[in-house]
Amino acid sequence: MINYADTIIHGASFFPGLDLPEDYDYMALKDSRILSMGKGQCWKEYRKPDTQVLEFTKEQLVVPGFHDSHLHLLMSALNYHYVDLFNVRSEEEAAASVAKFAEDHPDDDWIIGLNWYHIDWDRKELPTKKSLDAYLPDRPVFLINTEVHGAWVNSKALEVCGIDDSTPDPESGEIVRDENGEATGYLNETAMGLGAVVALTFDIAKEKELVSLALERYASFGVTSIQDLRPELGYDLGQYETYYQMAQEDKLKVRIHSAANLMDPMDEVIAQREKYNGDLFQIALLKQYMDGVPTTHTAMSLEPYVDAPDLKVEPLGDIEKMKKQIERAHRNGLSVKVHCCGDGAVHQTLDLYENVIEKYGQTAS
């Protein structure tokens, strides 16, 4: 009995994978799985009256779907609506671009921007709230740098977020201040979270809108699945319920393997994993940060920084708690990703992994 195909792709060039034949003429699919690949006219054996036949040419290539193993989904999605500062070359040019975006979007509660990088500016200095205040004194502004390890904000944003000159620095973060102790408008590492929990908190409807824009873009490049690393510095970005509802509504064009926060109570993580465990969306791993980035001297290096030889960089989190959480994750079959930028952070993290393997053995995965 012939197993008929739902769809047949005919005439294209095919790349099934390394060390596999590539001289195929067709691919027959059933229930979204490959039924057969072959040459010549054999494809006609799998055709029935309602089979969809897609005709291609040898100049068109069919490849397996791509999997992006490190992506911040909602953070990425912000790029498709808010102001992109990647190409600006000065603080003033960035502030003017933000002001133009604000003028064009009068109904946005927050003016959000991304991808500024003072290292690429003519003056390689961190920006301050003053340049933003000159254009936007009455609307809160939250601008995320390219590294996503710092945010530049105006005075209104500091006010809305309850940050003033007396606000203490969070653990592993810094509210940068001038020589008089006044907050300059730059929030470093986990201090970003003090603003992000307000500026980047969206309702489910808005998250769906943003995520849809991003997934449309990913799918256009052949990305079929992603690992979404939700935990950011001092906050988690993206609601599980958003992805779950989109999956239920058949609006996910890409499979999402989402990361929970390594430092969350493990019982809660396991309960969430059981609840959100579908084909298109599931909680599949845990994530946290060991260090920051070299440009702001927060990456943990084995050797001193050349321009800051006396600086001692500490881990961004509680190492003992991280150690215990990795052990709990390992025992519950959850993989763990840890952000490491400096070689010192890599050593520290490998020690934690080695500890858990020595205690409980290597997992099958």
Side-chain angles (χ1 to χ4, degrees), residues 63-105:
V63 299
F66 296 116
H67 174 72
D68 192 321
S69 62
H70 188 117
L71 189 146
H72 302 255
L73 176 52
L74 192 52
M75 182 66 72
S76 169
L78 298 179
N79 286 278
Y80 301 104
H81 176 74
Y82 296 103
V83 60
D84 182 3
L85 301 172
F86 182 78
N87 290 316
V88 303
R89 286 297 172 264
S90 70
E91 178 177 351
E92 174 60 27
E93 184 183 352
S97 298
V98 170
K100 178 63 169 64
F101 177 86
E103 181 182 348
D104 294 339
H105 297 80

Side-chain angles (χ1 to χ4, degrees), residues 14-38:
F14 295 92
F15 176 71
L18 293 176
D19 301 323
L20 294 173
E22 298 178 27
D23 56 343
Y24 295 115
D25 293 323
Y26 74 87
M27 175 187 290
L29 306 167
K30 183 174 183 179
D31 298 327
S32 300
R33 295 187 178 277
I34 297 174
L35 183 63
S36 173
M37 296 183 71

Side-chain angles (χ1 to χ4, degrees), residues 226-288:
I226 62 171
Q227 283 191 355
D228 172 34
L229 304 180
R230 294 174 52 260
E232 303 287 350
L233 288 160
Y235 61 103
D236 294 342
L237 190 57
Q239 300 178 67
Y240 296 137
E241 192 62 25
T242 297
Y243 308 151
Y244 176 75
Q245 288 186 19
M246 292 181 72
Q248 297 298 108
E249 296 162 0
D250 199 24
K251 292 180 179 178
L252 286 185
K253 294 191 173 183
V254 172
R255 283 182 169 82
I256 300 175
H257 302 141
S258 198
N261 196 317
L262 175 63
M263 306 307 254
D264 283 348
M266 196 58 60
D267 289 345
E268 292 182 11
V269 172
I270 292 169
Q272 290 167 336
R273 180 179 63 169
E274 291 175 354
K275 178 179 179 180
Y276 301 113
N277 189 30
D279 178 48
L280 291 176
F281 166 58
Q282 59 183 265
I283 297 173
L285 69 157
L286 297 163
K287 192 254 183 168
Q288 197 43 253

Side-chain angles (χ1 to χ4, degrees), residues 22 42 63 72 99 129 144 148 170 217 255 276 286 305 351:
E22 298 178 27
C42 297
V63 299
H72 302 255
K129 61 188 178 183
I144 304 158
V148 197
R217 183 74 167 168
R255 283 182 169 82
Y276 301 113
L286 297 163
Y305 282 93
D351 286 346

Side-chain angles (χ1 to χ4, degrees), residues 308-323:
D310 297 328
L311 179 67
K312 180 175 174 55
V313 180
E314 299 291 343
L316 289 183
D318 182 331
I319 292 297
E320 280 305 309
K321 182 177 180 181
M322 192 177 291
K323 177 181 178 180

